[in-house]
Amino acid sequence: MTVQSKLATTLCTCKDFQHPWTDSCVNATAGLLLSATPYCLRVYSMVYVLSLVMRHKIPTLDDLRKTVQGILQSTAFLVTNSYGFIMFNCLLRYLMGHYTVYTAAFLPTFLASLMAIVVERPQRRPLLALYVANVATESLWNMAVARGWAKSIPNGQVLIFGASISTLLYLYRLGLHNTTCKDSLFGILRIFVGKTEEGDAKGKEVKFDDSVPATSTAQRTSRPPVSLSTINGWVQLYSRFIGKLKGKHESCTHKCGCLSYAVMGGLKPLLGGIGIQVALKLVMNFKKVIQNKLDWKQTILNKKTLNLGLFLGSFSFLYKSVSCGLRHSFNRDDPRFAIPAGLIGSLSFFYYPDTTVALYVMWKTLQIVYNLGIKEKKVPEVPGFTILLYAFCTAVLFHSGIMEAKTLRPSYYRFLQAISGQRLNKFNLVPMDAFGLNTFAQTEEVLKAYKLTDRTSLPQCSLASW
């Protein structure tokens, strides 16, 4: 990809670029507002109703009132983000008299996102910021690869997941998840690594200070520690690992033997993961199941159905095995054992190398560590950081979808097409080739691949001038 000067401009008007069906920028903005509202209302109705059902209790009148209020407020947020793009795009074109590579998509979306995110409830803003940061990270990496600034790393998802999950598990073993690092993600971790691996279960505050040596959760025995500076020390380490793995070390808090603890710990997630995969496939093919037209062998009885279960089961088994092995070998417990155990356990991600999962865990880890750093006064708190992160990442996604379509995740491209009222595939992108991003050819290829090439009809609620 050849990128021209950042100072390159195009004199294309906003009418020629994004609303050729109407001469009025006000009509274009109003049309997008009207067309986006029903779709956004459907999306958030499903989200909030599902959230209400997941509580497993009969909702009260107050619950229903809050649910309706949340649906309307979140719908207003997403609609504002949608029509705000057209509004600020037209306004910037009017003020500047031309487009640059920044004002064609990035800057108007950034301004629209700032306006939209303040409409949403404050408690939902971090979740939205993390979601768009996840997708935007992938787009930014794809842009860097397209420009030749970076090269794709085979199984890079495993590296990201391993580094992130090891950090979370270390915090979990320190007990900080009960005090300064409270997050729902630790509840999910507890399912796979168990309560017995939980550090400081009583919730006593633990300072995040590397200068304080890690303490044991059980009294050390009289045997001297192993020295790894000699060959004899490595032999002793190996002997203790093999000889005692079938038993239970004093520092292990689980009730059964270490071997059965690790095996049973891996078996439950294995069966659970397979069950989830089967259930999802049955739900997605519900119509075929009812009509008795489902190809069970191709859809259910295949190797892919095992992937999630193998990942979850292997992760739990490896983490617990290594943790117990280290306790046996070094004759003590140490929160830092979570790091090698987490790294080795993350090798199971080869069974399920999902980029979305890896990036989500990475961003959640960064959020938790950043908040911990603020509480421990190790890093400064940036006012409005969540709002700025959301606006920046959303601007990256709109820029990617409009200017560099091949770098955007397919599901998010279809989402942009939906909230735009089927307008995204009707933009005239030929003038945007002035910026050297090969915009028109990229978009044509993507539209053809996603079967979105129809441009004959007007978009929804076009408010056309003719």
Side-chain angles (χ1 to χ4, degrees):
M1 179 184 293
T2 302
V3 182
Q4 293 184 2
S5 171
K6 297 178 181 179
L7 301 178
T9 62
T10 176
L11 298 178
C12 169
T13 65
C14 55
K15 175 184 181 301
D16 294 333
F17 170 36
Q18 60 184 5
H19 54 86
W21 50 85
T22 178
D23 295 327
S24 171
C25 296
V26 174
N27 284 359
T29 303
L32 185 52
L33 186 154
L34 293 174
S35 62
T37 301
Y39 174 79
C40 297
L41 188 61
R42 288 197 303 272
V43 168
Y44 278 110
S45 295
M46 293 176 61
V47 170
Y48 277 88
V49 169
L50 182 61
S51 176
L52 196 63
V53 171
M54 292 293 288
R55 296 179 185 178
H56 300 293
K57 65 177 184 178
I58 299 176
T60 63
L61 289 177
D62 188 55
D63 291 334
L64 294 175
R65 180 186 61 81
K66 290 180 179 179
T67 299
V68 172
Q69 182 181 354
I71 291 172
L72 295 177
Q73 189 169 359
S74 294
T75 298
F77 145 73
L78 192 54
V79 170
T80 301
N81 217 147
S82 180
Y83 80 78
F85 166 73
I86 294 287
M87 180 179 71
F88 283 110
N89 190 292
C90 293
L91 180 61
L92 289 171
R93 171 62 180 80
Y94 175 78
L95 293 175
M96 298 181 62
H98 59 263
Y99 281 116
T100 69
V101 69
Y102 300 113
T103 61
F106 182 87
L107 186 55
T109 306
F110 183 83
L111 297 174
S113 299
L114 286 177
M115 181 175 67
I117 193 64
V118 297
V119 176
E120 184 56 284
R121 292 182 300 160
Q123 56 266 37
R124 278 186 50 81
R125 293 173 188 172
L127 181 64
L128 291 166
L130 284 176
Y131 172 71
V132 293
N134 184 326
V135 188
T137 302
E138 186 178 347
S139 292
L140 287 170
W141 177 261
N142 291 336
M143 290 180 195
V145 172
R147 287 164 169 76
W149 298 345
K151 292 183 179 181
S152 294
I153 302 173
N155 300 307
Q157 307 97 319
V158 179
L159 297 175
I160 294 173
F161 179 81
S164 303
I165 204 70
S166 298
T167 303
L168 291 175
L169 288 168
Y170 177 60
L171 297 175
Y172 182 75
R173 289 295 312 278
L174 284 172
L176 296 179
H177 65 292
N178 286 324
T179 54
T180 53
C181 292
K182 292 182 179 180
D183 192 275
S184 59
L185 188 58
F186 288 110
I188 300 175
L189 275 181
R190 186 182 291 112
I191 296 174
F192 302 108
V193 302
K195 293 182 179 180
T196 58
E197 297 291 337
E198 187 175 6
D200 192 42
K202 294 182 179 180
K204 183 180 178 181
E205 186 171 7
V206 178
K207 293 295 184 180
F208 187 66
D209 189 351
D210 292 336
S211 64
V212 179
T215 58
S216 172
T217 59
Q219 278 194 336
R220 302 184 184 184
T221 64
S222 59
R223 286 192 308 173
V226 175
S227 174
L228 299 181
S229 60
T230 63
I231 296 178
N232 186 46
W234 284 98
V235 173
Q236 292 182 41
L237 182 67
Y238 176 77
S239 300
R240 291 184 186 182
F241 179 81
I242 298 300
K244 282 200 168 184
L245 188 58
K246 293 183 179 181
K248 176 181 177 296
H249 194 266
E250 295 89 339
S251 63
C252 290
T253 55
H254 51 83
K255 297 180 180 180
C256 57
C258 292
L259 185 59
S260 59
Y261 168 68
V263 172
M264 293 305 297
L267 185 60
K268 292 179 181 179
L270 170 66
L271 298 177
I274 295 174
I276 291 172
Q277 284 283 77
V278 172
L280 287 175
K281 290 187 177 183
L282 289 176
V283 170
M284 294 174 64
N285 295 276
F286 182 74
K287 187 176 181 180
K288 291 183 179 180
V289 173
I290 296 297
Q291 297 173 349
N292 199 24
K293 295 181 179 179
L294 181 65
D295 188 341
W296 292 88
K297 184 176 181 181
Q298 182 178 2
T299 306
I300 305 296
L301 304 176
N302 58 64
K303 292 182 179 180
K304 291 184 179 180
T305 305
L306 302 175
N307 288 346
L308 180 60
L310 288 172
F311 157 54
L312 297 177
S314 299
F315 175 80
S316 181
F317 171 76
L318 289 173
Y319 177 81
K320 292 181 177 181
S321 298
V322 174
S323 295
C324 287
L326 290 171
R327 286 190 283 261
H328 278 278
S329 301
F330 288 94
N331 199 32
R332 71 178 192 277
D333 192 17
D334 193 317
R336 288 172 291 187
F337 289 167
I339 297 175
L343 289 172
I344 293 175
S346 66
L347 295 176
S348 62
F349 203 58
F350 279 107
Y351 287 117
Y352 194 78
D354 188 275
T355 302
T356 302
V357 172
L359 291 177
Y360 174 78
V361 175
M362 181 193 76
W363 275 103
K364 284 296 290 184
T365 303
L366 291 174
Q367 178 196 32
I368 291 169
V369 172
Y370 175 66
N371 290 335
L372 175 61
I374 292 175
K375 291 177 182 178
E376 296 292 333
K377 297 182 179 180
K378 298 293 180 67
V379 296
E381 183 176 5
V382 180
F385 178 77
T386 299
I387 293 176
L388 294 173
L389 178 65
Y390 172 81
F392 173 80
C393 292
T394 305
V396 169
L397 294 176
F398 271 70
H399 168 88
S400 179
I402 294 172
M403 305 296 291
E404 305 177 58
K406 292 176 69 175
T407 63
L408 184 63
R409 187 181 297 176
S411 59
Y412 203 87
Y413 192 93
R414 292 189 175 93
F415 172 72
L416 292 183
Q417 171 72 353
I419 65 170
S420 69
Q422 311 304 317
R423 284 165 169 76
L424 192 61
N425 64 339
K426 296 175 176 61
F427 286 176
N428 175 25
L429 299 175
V430 174
M432 300 300 125
D433 281 340
F435 305 125
L437 299 173
N438 203 22
T439 300
F440 179 73
Q442 280 198 67
T443 304
E444 289 295 302
E445 186 176 340
V446 167
L447 293 178
K448 185 177 179 180
Y450 302 162
K451 299 180 181 180
L452 299 172
T453 55
D454 177 30
R455 298 189 184 88
T456 56
S457 60
L458 293 173
Q460 299 172 7
C461 303
S462 61
L463 303 183
S465 299
W466 57 82

